[in-house]
Amino acid sequence: MCNPSNGKCFCTTKGIKGDRCHLCEVENRYQGNPLKGTCYYTLLIDYQFTFSLSQEDDRYYTAINFVATPEEPNRDLDMFINASKNFNLNITWATSFTAGTQSGEEIPIISRSNIKEFKESFSNENFDFRNNPNITFFVYVSNFTWPIKIQIAFSQHSNFMDLVQFFVTFFSCFLSLLLVAAVVWKIKQSCWASRRREQLLREMQQMASRPFATINVALETEEEPPDLIGGNVKSVPKPIALEPCFGNKAAVLSIFVRLPRGAGGIPPPGQSGELSHHSRPFRL
């Protein structure tokens, strides 16, 4: 498409440039000869390429061409292409890229119209990849409208290698998760141990801060103990120690009680001695 006033042309095939559309964009991986044929974008095997023709400079493009050469002579070549809008697809092959750029050297394989997606597998036996090391496949995408997004890929995956890669990836992820779980568990155990040590330290500090004192108790062994049941009590027993609890609303009282004695000052059977220490809570 050219401007009649100044003669400047807008190339309709992506990858072709120049005022007369006579050059290929070699700097962008396009190769060929537009004067004798067209320009092709060189595709790498086992890679997916995405072409987004959405800029204002892409408005006049209605076609784009690709070329791919198999790398493995013993594997089939899988091809996949899809687009956001309908397009026409033509696929040919030749024994080499040089032959493909000349008219009549390419052999048609596939021709489709108004499609959005296409998949195909080219057998290495049918196309004899081993005896044709330079075999080249040409993909012509045409008759699309602007804007459009195209994805295309050629691959030669091995099923066995895919299975091995799957298991390697699976076990790598599994071992990574186990390692992360072990590290998290170790950190959790360390935190628990640290909290336990801090709790024990606080308990020891609290016990060490409790008040303490000594008291001497003098008892006269000849004096008869008061009759607590009969009411023969001269005075109310007084505690020898008083320890307030937290909040000062209650306290623990400690008292000594002289137990009854038998004849000769011997404690009754079942008693360990004459004195018994008792502690009981008491509300202040």
Side-chain angles (χ1 to χ4, degrees), residues 115-129:
I115 60 174
K116 283 189 175 182
E117 183 176 334
F118 182 79
K119 294 181 180 180
E120 185 61 37
S121 180
F122 305 105
S123 173
N124 68 89
E125 296 179 355
N126 295 338
F127 291 92
D128 199 5
F129 292 170

Side-chain angles (χ1 to χ4, degrees), residues 101-115:
T101 58
Q102 299 176 5
S103 177
E105 296 293 338
E106 299 177 22
I107 302 174
I109 307 174
I110 295 170
S111 179
R112 298 287 189 275
S113 299
N114 294 326
I115 60 174

Side-chain angles (χ1 to χ4, degrees), residues 1-4 7-12 19 21 59-62:
M1 182 180 298
C2 300
N3 191 332
K8 183 178 180 179
C9 297
F10 298 97
C11 305
T12 58
D19 294 338
C21 297
R59 177 181 293 273
Y60 300 99
Y61 292 141
T62 60

